[in-house]
Amino acid sequence: MITIVFAPPRTGKTCFLAHMARETAFDFERNTLMRKAIQDKYEKGFTHLQTVPFHCVSSNFDMTFRKFGYSPRYSRRINPFRLGYENPHVRTHFNFPYESIFITEAQKYLNSRMSRNYPDWQSRWYEQHGHNDLDVWLDTQRPMLIDVNIRELSRFIEIVRLMIKNDGYGKPIGLRWLVRVLPDSSAFEHYMTSGKQDKGCFEELEVTADYNVFRGYDSQNCKPKFYAGHMDEDLDYVSGTGFGDDVSEYVRYLATVDDELPEGFYQTTKKKEAA
């Protein structure tokens, strides 16, 4: 199953994914099925298949899963651009049976604005992921940002509200999400068309975590991207008026600010590398 989790920024999408990932990482039945399936492949000719994971969870952000009585477990790191079937262009991941894949900021990888360039070798992988007993979880602010082919294969979970329980020191000790589950893309379209008023489109549920989910991942894992390429630069603005007390220097700065479309802005990554 493909599940698209959506909500506005800072409303608990990624921590919801982290909680569902933890539930999967300690799912005894699923992990047992995974290990048996890998052993079966080894016996049928996968002679180099020596690794058997402790659990089924992979993701594009690092997570640590803790549970009383168990040693910590860690997510397998994947690149969502490398999910797909073998092809001559991109080396793809070796996905194991019963793997659960969690992708945050999914619009980056499944961008609806680039649908006409969407590769067939990945599209078919999503279309047929169930044949390998895979689950895929995607979070995004708006489902319409996700490629239409993926949306049509998905169910949807909208986070309506996140409630955090704190201890006497103000530290989180539990989370509750009020969510609406929409079973397919048709229900999602009716739900949005109705202005989110049609109660026949969804089931409303409460999901509870009786621990501090935030301890298991870096909620600001995207922050370094804001600073990449600027390590040897000063800020455009200093304190006060922008350039200390020298207003004339500030005015000269504003006059030189470039607001034109940068050359190569729409150039693809591959073309930039070739250049």
Side-chain angles (χ1 to χ4, degrees):
M1 179 176 290
I2 301 172
T3 303
I4 297 177
V5 178
F6 68 101
R10 314 306 298 174
T11 47
K13 297 186 299 296
T14 305
C15 67
F16 182 82
L17 252 64
H19 173 62
M20 302 310 297
R22 177 186 181 268
E23 296 295 288
T24 305
F26 291 107
D27 184 335
F28 177 80
E29 181 178 357
R30 187 182 183 98
N31 293 331
T32 300
L33 289 170
M34 175 265 294
R35 284 189 284 269
K36 287 182 178 179
I38 291 177
Q39 181 62 32
D40 181 62
K41 292 191 181 306
Y42 177 80
E43 293 173 355
K44 290 182 177 179
F46 284 71
T47 54
H48 287 80
L49 189 57
Q50 304 295 326
T51 302
V52 180
F54 287 108
H55 60 81
C56 300
V57 175
S58 300
S59 62
N60 68 327
F61 63 108
D62 295 327
M63 292 183 282
T64 302
F65 310 115
R66 297 178 177 87
K67 187 175 183 179
F68 182 76
Y70 293 83
S71 298
R73 298 182 176 184
Y74 305 94
S75 57
R76 173 198 185 207
R77 188 68 175 266
I78 55 98
N79 177 353
F81 285 126
R82 296 186 180 277
L83 296 173
Y85 289 139
E86 181 185 18
N87 65 90
H89 310 292
V90 176
R91 183 177 180 182
T92 57
H93 286 301
F94 187 169
N95 295 113
F96 49 86
Y98 296 98
E99 185 174 5
S100 281
I101 299 168
F102 294 82
I103 303 173
T104 187
E105 301 294 345
Q107 69 278 355
K108 171 182 176 181
Y109 310 97
L110 302 167
N111 189 341
S112 61
R113 291 173 294 181
M114 299 296 289
S115 290
R116 62 188 179 89
N117 297 322
Y118 192 53
D120 182 64
W121 53 265
Q122 186 172 86
S123 179
R124 285 186 290 108
W125 182 91
Y126 276 101
E127 291 165 4
Q128 300 173 358
H129 73 283
H131 293 285
N132 204 29
D133 299 295
L134 304 176
D135 278 337
V136 182
W137 293 75
L138 312 170
D139 84 38
T140 185
Q141 293 177 21
R142 293 186 293 116
M144 300 308 289
L145 298 174
I146 302 296
D147 182 87
V148 63
N149 296 316
I150 306 304
R151 292 202 309 270
E152 290 179 351
L153 300 169
S154 303
R155 70 166 179 167
F156 301 79
I157 295 180
E158 181 184 30
I159 298 177
V160 179
R161 185 165 67 253
L162 168 64
M163 296 150 279
I164 302 175
K165 181 181 179 180
N166 296 319
D167 63 15
Y169 300 97
K171 294 182 179 180
I173 56 174
L175 287 81
R176 287 186 297 138
W177 295 267
L178 180 64
V179 305
R180 291 175 176 176
V181 181
L182 299 102
D184 51 41
S185 61
S186 177
F188 169 73
E189 290 174 8
H190 285 302
Y191 177 64
M192 299 303 290
T193 302
S194 73
K196 300 185 179 182
Q197 299 302 310
D198 188 346
K199 295 183 178 180
C201 296
F202 63 84
E203 180 182 7
E204 196 162 84
L205 303 171
E206 192 172 272
V207 179
T208 303
D210 58 355
Y211 65 98
N212 183 1
V213 181
F214 301 113
R215 286 188 61 211
Y217 73 103
D218 179 5
S219 62
Q220 296 184 327
N221 62 83
C222 292
K223 181 178 284 190
K225 296 179 182 178
F226 287 94
Y227 303 103
H230 300 289
M231 293 294 291
D232 58 350
E233 296 181 10
D234 197 359
L235 296 174
D236 291 339
Y237 301 96
V238 196
S239 59
T241 59
F243 286 86
D245 295 327
D246 190 346
V247 178
S248 61
E249 185 179 352
Y250 179 49
V251 172
R252 284 196 299 273
Y253 166 77
L254 291 177
T256 63
V257 173
D258 177 18
D259 64 350
E260 297 298 323
L261 181 70
E263 182 180 354
F265 183 84
Y266 288 111
Q267 196 171 6
T268 65
T269 302
K270 288 186 178 180
K271 288 181 180 179
K272 287 182 180 178
E273 291 174 351

